[in-house]
Amino acid sequence: MAYRVMTAAALAAGLVLATGTATAQKRAPAASDTPRTFVQATEGMDHERREVMIPMRDGVRLHTVILIPKGARNAPILLTRTPYDASDMTSHSPSGTLAAVLDGYDNAPDVVVGGGYIRVVQDVRGKYGSEGDYIMNRPLAGTPLNPGKVDHSTDAYDTIDWLVKHIPESNGRVGIIGISYDGFLPLMALINPHPALKVAVPMNPMVDGWNGDDWFHNGAFRQQNLPYMLEQEASRDNSIKWWSTHRDDYDLYLSAGSAGALARSRGLDQTGFWTKVAQHPSYDDYWQQQAMDRVLAARPLTVPTLLVHGLFDQEDIHGAIAVWQALKDRTGGQNLKLAIGPWNHGQQIHDASALGPIKWGQDTGLWFRRNVLAPFLAQYLIDGAPTADLPRVTAFETGSNAWRRLADWPAACADDCTARLYLKPQGALGFEPATGPAETADYISDPAKPVPFRARPILPVGYEGELTWPSWLVDDQREASGRTDVITFVTPVLTAPVRIKGKPVVHLTAATSGTDADWVVKLIDVYPAEVAGDKAMGGYQLGIAMDIFRGRYRESLSEAKPIAADTALPYRFALPDANHVFLPGHRIMVQVQSSWFPLYDRNPQRFVPNIMFAKPEDYVKATQRITVAGPEGSYIVLPLVPAGAE
């Protein structure tokens, strides 16, 4: 009986199962295992995540991630706008803690979490989850470069307006912060700012793409940024990738011939920005009208702003200082401050105890975040926060490896605070000019064998995998000093410190047998032959300020002209800002060369209208002659700080 009952029950269960299976089989083709909308469970997390599409004034909606600390009330908002994927920048860890989720680019999680900020990250129009069209560094609306009615300033305004109206947990105060491209965007937000925008922190911002930031340095094209241009513009989500046939970029770019030929081979001529760059190799209206230091100088600065600069910023070493110089005398020091650290591009939000082999004796990034960034943000965003005890300029001095509180940048002094450092015959260098008639130091520059800008193999620009790009500005310059196409000048061993603050300015008198030439000048700190406690630094040649100048722009940056062959001509250009002490026992070195490859494209040394499209037959050897004695002798003006002065 029991057997019969069990059999009946089993039969009934089997019928139900069969019916359910049949139903499931019938439904399977029409249903998805993935829900149309998934609501993230937040139990155990210390924050809530919201993703919204914020409408702009022209109807375009921008994808925005909002991270709100659990229990937040009257909390300030810290906004970053980015072309680099807001979802990825707010998903660095599967952990339920906000600190782990934000552990990446732009975020400074210790400051965000410690301040109790509502963190907002938004994709700019045309990138990743946002609607609209993407334009690289979209220029200001209502100008010849952008006759439309929207730009990054209007998008920032509309975003902030929406945030303060739709996040009930906020106190209605917004700060904007970012690095690099994301540092350019806070500068745009300062134009006609929203009333709720209370503070801005542009870090390592892209400011002038021709005059020292990403695309050109003094007319020389930074061709190793071609992969960035492709990946940033070929697709909305950066899914189309650059490809290489060589491990060593030196071989890749040399075999391509010219930057234009390589760009064409990778399909870059299909993208908008490369086309504009190729059409505007000179500093014409295209570049001048969108240089942010010029744009901001024409308007009042009404939002308290902290500019952040890295002394060894391998990408945007020009921007922050350029904005500072444009605005510092107009603000009276009320709304503008400057922080300078011994960092590469964005290193200040990470561990910054060292850069390459150079050790600073402290975590300079942590010190900056605790003593400058956090109190500066809090003063303007957090209810009841004290006034930050910050000088006008906070600057780390390399060499002495100490933080300095300064009233201005460069450091002001009553008398002339400059000194001429003269290039002399036989590779000598000193603060007194050479005696006797004019002499030259000569070398042969061969475009077929350009001087590498660092030891080979030279890996591509990148932040993943083998990371070498971030530290190239502190590479040991001995690699170059042994070449016959690099001339070197060095002082005797110093018996007293030499302190500089500001831009060294090159006054080079040079002749070339060609009709065009590049001039690379490097100011270098040569360490003693042995360094106690740090064997790796024995004899190290540390670049303090280095840059390139394309000779065709000697007379005018906006118009390229051939160079008169075999004629000694003056070239004047500034090197990046330095804040350094050459210590006793060290020596000062200057190196001069005519290529810095493949970071910059090769100068053919025969004048052509556009170097990006030079043909193989255009590249010729040239004899370069640097005047090192006589009334037209070459020298560098150092922004010297007198002994005893800060």
Side-chain angles (χ1 to χ4, degrees):
M1 186 68 162
Y3 177 78
R4 289 176 181 271
V5 171
M6 290 176 62
T7 302
L11 179 61
L15 288 172
V16 172
L17 179 62
T19 302
T21 301
T23 301
Q25 290 173 344
K26 181 182 280 187
R27 293 174 55 195
S32 171
D33 287 348
T34 303
R36 190 177 299 274
T37 301
F38 183 81
V39 179
Q40 175 70 55
T42 60
E43 182 177 351
M45 293 186 178
D46 66 357
H47 65 283
E48 176 188 349
R49 182 186 186 94
R50 301 173 189 169
E51 296 199 33
V52 297
M53 297 294 289
I54 298 179
M56 300 294 102
R57 62 190 64 187
D58 63 346
V60 169
R61 300 181 305 160
L62 303 187
H63 172 246
T64 309
V65 179
I66 304 170
L67 303 176
I68 303 177
K70 285 287 184 69
R73 296 179 60 189
N74 296 318
I77 297 170
L78 197 57
L79 168 67
T80 292
R81 306 187 63 250
T82 183
Y84 299 134
D85 192 356
S87 293
D88 181 68
M89 287 171 57
T90 55
S91 306
H92 286 284
S93 170
S95 167
T97 67
L98 187 57
V101 166
L102 293 176
D103 188 18
Y105 183 72
D106 262 350
N107 282 315
D110 50 351
V111 175
V112 175
V113 175
Y117 293 100
I118 296 169
R119 185 71 171 117
V120 178
V121 183
Q122 179 185 74
D123 292 321
V124 299
R125 57 175 64 217
K127 293 301 294 182
Y128 293 92
S130 287
E131 299 171 350
D133 298 322
Y134 178 71
I135 296 176
M136 185 81 73
N137 299 103
R138 184 185 295 267
L140 201 63
T143 65
L145 298 178
N146 179 8
K149 296 183 178 180
V150 296
D151 57 26
H152 289 303
S153 75
T154 64
D155 285 352
Y157 189 103
D158 295 347
T159 297
I160 293 170
D161 193 65
W162 190 95
L163 292 173
V164 296
K165 291 176 179 176
H166 291 84
I167 302 180
E169 296 90 345
S170 84
N171 64 3
R173 299 179 187 176
V174 180
I176 188 166
I177 189 172
I179 297 168
S180 192
Y181 199 123
D182 301 356
F184 152 75
L185 294 165
L187 295 176
M188 289 293 289
L190 295 175
I191 299 167
N192 302 318
H194 192 282
L197 181 63
K198 302 301 182 183
V199 66
V201 184
M203 298 193 283
N204 314 91
M206 300 169 72
V207 168
D208 190 329
W210 194 94
N211 217 14
D213 285 330
D214 293 81
W215 317 122
F216 294 85
H217 275 224
N218 298 311
F221 177 55
R222 278 200 158 198
Q223 61 180 357
Q224 272 195 299
N225 280 331
L226 288 175
Y228 174 89
M229 292 181 187
L230 175 73
E231 295 181 9
Q232 193 67 12
E233 291 216 323
S235 63
R236 179 178 294 266
D237 62 354
N238 289 41
S239 57
I240 297 176
K241 301 297 183 182
W242 179 267
W243 55 273
S244 179
T245 52
H246 299 77
R247 171 172 169 76
D248 188 343
D249 260 9
Y250 188 99
D251 293 327
L252 171 68
Y253 286 85
L254 191 61
S255 64
S258 68
L262 182 58
R264 190 181 305 112
S265 73
R266 298 301 187 268
L268 262 165
D269 48 1
Q270 302 172 60
T271 65
F273 185 63
W274 161 250
T275 303
K276 296 169 189 173
V277 168
Q279 291 173 347
H280 298 277
S282 301
Y283 196 50
D284 57 15
D285 287 345
Y286 173 77
W287 297 109
Q288 294 180 34
Q289 289 178 14
Q290 60 182 304
M292 287 305 298
D293 54 334
R294 294 175 179 233
V295 171
L296 290 169
R299 294 163 173 80
L301 179 66
T302 59
V303 177
T305 299
L306 171 66
L307 294 163
V308 181
H309 173 69
L311 292 167
F312 301 99
D313 186 334
Q314 75 280 11
E315 293 177 23
D316 293 305
I317 203 166
H318 171 82
I321 299 296
V323 173
W324 168 260
Q325 294 293 350
L327 299 183
K328 68 169 185 169
D329 293 332
R330 297 176 58 255
T331 65
Q334 298 305 307
N335 283 327
L336 187 66
K337 294 191 184 297
L338 174 66
I340 299 173
W343 308 310
N344 64 20
H345 193 63
Q347 191 184 11
Q348 62 271 10
I349 67 167
H350 303 291
D351 183 288
S353 305
L355 181 54
I358 315 300
K359 304 176 183 67
W360 309 121
Q362 58 177 285
D363 185 344
T364 61
L366 179 62
W367 189 96
F368 161 76
R369 297 193 302 275
R370 285 181 175 176
N371 296 284
V372 180
L373 180 60
F376 183 78
L377 290 172
Q379 174 181 344
Y380 299 103
L381 297 176
I382 297 176
D383 296 334
T387 300
D389 178 25
L390 296 180
R392 199 174 183 206
V393 179
T394 305
F396 188 85
E397 184 180 73
T398 56
S400 65
N401 292 350
W403 287 98
R404 306 294 185 191
R405 295 169 61 92
L406 305 174
D408 198 2
W409 183 263
C413 62
D415 302 318
D416 183 9
C417 290
T418 62
R420 292 185 177 187
L421 185 63
Y422 290 92
L423 282 56
K424 301 183 181 185
Q426 285 78 54
L429 185 68
F431 291 101
E432 297 294 332
T435 58
E439 292 187 39
T440 64
D442 304 351
Y443 61 97
I444 304 295
S445 174
D446 184 358
K449 299 177 181 179
V451 181
F453 82 101
R454 64 185 320 187
R456 298 177 62 186
I458 298 172
L459 303 185
V461 172
Y463 290 91
E464 297 178 356
E466 295 180 81
L467 295 182
T468 64
W469 167 252
S471 62
W472 76 264
L473 272 175
V474 297
D475 283 355
D476 193 338
Q477 295 302 309
R478 278 179 290 198
E479 182 72 15
S481 62
R483 290 180 59 114
T484 58
D485 50 1
V486 178
I487 54 174
T488 300
F489 305 87
V490 64
T491 66
V493 174
L494 300 176
T495 58
V498 175
R499 175 178 278 117
I500 59 173
K501 293 182 184 297
K503 293 183 185 298
V505 179
V506 174
H507 291 255
L508 192 71
T509 302
T512 176
S513 62
T515 52
D516 200 359
D518 285 349
W519 307 108
V520 179
V521 177
K522 310 176 199 173
L523 180 66
I524 296 166
D525 186 342
V526 181
Y527 281 61
E530 293 186 357
V531 176
D534 195 350
K535 292 182 179 179
M537 293 306 296
Y540 202 92
Q541 296 179 9
L542 173 64
I544 301 303
M546 308 185 289
D547 219 336
I548 187 171
F549 185 88
R550 185 141 283 174
R552 59 176 47 208
Y553 298 112
R554 185 186 71 84
E555 296 182 30
S556 170
L557 299 180
S558 60
E559 183 181 0
K561 295 181 180 180
I563 298 172
D566 297 313
T567 304
L569 298 170
Y571 298 86
R572 183 184 183 276
F573 59 99
L575 301 179
D577 284 60
N579 189 32
H580 185 71
V581 181
F582 297 89
L583 297 173
H586 291 228
R587 293 178 294 162
I588 303 175
M589 175 182 285
V590 170
Q591 292 180 2
V592 181
Q593 60 200 59
S594 289
S595 52
W596 223 10
F597 189 78
L599 178 60
Y600 297 97
D601 60 339
R602 294 176 300 155
N603 192 316
Q605 303 182 152
R606 173 185 289 153
F607 184 85
V608 295
N610 190 333
I611 287 177
M612 295 182 190
F613 302 104
K615 300 293 190 293
E617 60 270 20
D618 296 324
Y619 294 87
V620 296
K621 291 182 181 181
T623 299
Q624 319 290 51
R625 295 183 171 89
I626 310 300
T627 303
V628 294
E632 305 302 325
S634 303
Y635 58 91
I636 297 177
V637 175
L638 296 183
L640 201 63
V641 179
E646 186 55 72

